Amino acid sequence: MADTALPFDDFRDLVNLVPGPDEAAVAAVQARDRDLTKPAGALGRMEAIVEWLAAWQGKAPPAVDRPLVAVFAANHGVTAQGVSAFPASVTRAMVENFAAGGAAINQICAASDIGLKVFELALDHPTPDISLEDAFDEAGCAATMAFGMEALAGQPDLLCLGEMGIGNTTVAAALFLALFGGEAADWVGPGTGVGGAALAKKVAVVERAVARLDGRLSDPLEILRRLGGREIAAMAGAILAARHQKVPVVVDGFVTTAAAAVLWAANPAALDHCLFAHVSAEPAHARALAAMGKVPLLDLGMRLGEGTGAALAAGLVRIAAKTHAGMATFTQAGVAGKLD
């Protein structure tokens, strides 16, 4: 990126100048689909997935040979407010669990032959308590977004995003409130399992965090800077880099969707290369998806994070691509006519 007066200037350009889909690849997929040995539309959304994959990989037939789950882990000063059922030390413990192969995401990736990389973001230096002060200065936020772009270094052909960070559902709820409006209670859920008085405290913390913005809510990147956190900024950078490098993205749950929402608020077209894996059991996730007009692929009652929902959805994406590429045409199968 070129040197500019302000760190966010390059990112604003990247968001506003996103490349469009490869229409020729989509047309080629559609033409082949019309000749496959099945009734038109019989595979339902699986057919749409193949078209989406072709549009953003820029090739037909598309394929998923190098899928990657990128998990970004960070800590948050707001946990000092008692918004989580677990201490911040659990973030590092879970990162170590990922490294040891003991987490749910390890098992799903192993079962589905999906690569896994974990990106640790200064766990010993949490972002400040966003109910009291800003998460970043502009340079720090931009640098964290740039770090997230490194998830594309291995040239995956499908990027699945996940996160780990005690307290990050509080941060995500604050971002959604600032981006989409409403009341704090509309966006705050149990996260790691808080309820009762602890849940009420979490609502109050989100209210205070967004109140600090003093109504200055017009710039999504500025909202990200002020409310954080590091894993969310990094995921926003990864989504943006993937678009410019022709890599489709599968977005996981509530927190990952908050990163996507920042880009959507800046330019709704910036998420056209993203598939939303599932609707989380975190109550406000469905509200966030509806606000952006996104329809999730799965609804399994999950709320773990780690990219688990995205990895499961990636399996379906791969199956859709293999089905499209591997099926016989009517001519190849010696079938006369087409199926109704």
Side-chain angles (χ1 to χ4, degrees):
M1 293 184 290
D3 290 335
T4 54
L6 295 173
F8 278 156
D9 286 352
D10 290 312
F11 285 101
R12 291 191 179 99
D13 288 343
L14 289 173
V15 171
N16 291 323
L17 300 174
V18 289
D22 188 319
E23 299 290 0
V26 174
V29 163
Q30 292 172 335
R32 175 172 171 77
D33 186 79
R34 287 193 293 269
D35 200 31
L36 295 179
T37 49
K38 64 177 181 59
L43 286 175
R45 195 169 176 188
M46 297 287 278
E47 297 176 14
I49 288 172
V50 178
E51 293 180 21
W52 165 80
L53 194 62
W56 301 109
Q57 286 187 342
K59 63 180 184 180
V64 178
D65 298 318
R66 301 184 309 279
L68 174 70
V69 173
V71 179
F72 293 90
N75 272 323
H76 306 269
V78 75
T79 57
Q81 299 288 339
V83 295
S84 174
F86 293 94
S89 59
V90 169
T91 303
R92 178 169 294 284
M94 282 303 301
V95 167
E96 293 172 356
N97 193 29
F98 297 147
I105 189 58
N106 297 99
Q107 316 320 313
I108 295 172
C109 286
S112 303
D113 193 23
I114 298 173
L116 174 64
K117 289 185 179 180
V118 179
F119 296 84
E120 180 182 326
L121 293 123
L123 296 186
D124 294 331
H125 301 281
T127 46
D129 180 348
I130 61 169
S131 70
L132 301 174
E133 56 184 302
D134 294 339
F136 302 98
D137 59 18
E138 187 169 324
C141 188
T144 304
M145 293 178 72
F147 177 81
M149 292 178 163
E150 293 300 316
L152 280 298
Q155 299 183 319
D157 52 22
L158 184 70
L159 179 65
C160 306
L161 292 178
E163 44 64 39
M164 176 64 213
I166 297 300
N168 65 10
T169 60
T170 300
V171 174
L175 283 166
F176 285 129
L177 176 60
L179 292 168
F180 297 139
E183 303 294 331
D186 296 335
W187 300 106
V188 174
T192 53
V194 299
L199 184 61
K201 180 186 294 185
K202 188 174 178 180
V203 170
V205 168
V206 169
E207 287 174 342
R208 293 199 301 274
V210 177
R212 283 194 314 99
L213 276 60
D214 297 325
R216 296 193 293 272
L217 307 175
S218 60
D219 184 345
L221 291 181
E222 181 69 4
I223 290 171
L224 175 62
R225 178 187 79 78
R226 299 191 67 181
L227 298 177
R230 287 195 184 97
E231 76 276 57
I232 294 174
M235 289 189 292
I239 292 169
L240 196 52
R243 177 61 165 268
H244 287 270
Q245 295 184 36
K246 294 186 176 180
V247 179
V249 174
V250 184
V251 177
D252 191 40
F254 183 69
V255 177
T256 309
T257 298
V262 171
L263 301 178
W264 183 89
N267 176 9
L271 296 188
D272 288 350
H273 67 305
C274 294
L275 175 71
F276 286 78
H278 72 123
V279 59
S280 169
E282 187 73 5
H285 191 212
R287 181 188 293 271
L289 293 171
M292 296 185 290
K294 304 300 182 183
V295 179
L297 186 59
L298 303 170
D299 183 354
L300 300 174
M302 297 169 61
R303 58 180 181 87
L304 179 58
E306 303 180 4
T308 49
L312 290 170
L316 285 177
V317 173
R318 174 183 264 161
I319 290 169
K322 284 184 175 292
T323 300
H324 174 84
M327 282 184 69
T329 64
F330 284 99
T331 300
Q332 291 168 331
V335 177
K338 294 191 177 182
L339 302 174
D340 295 327

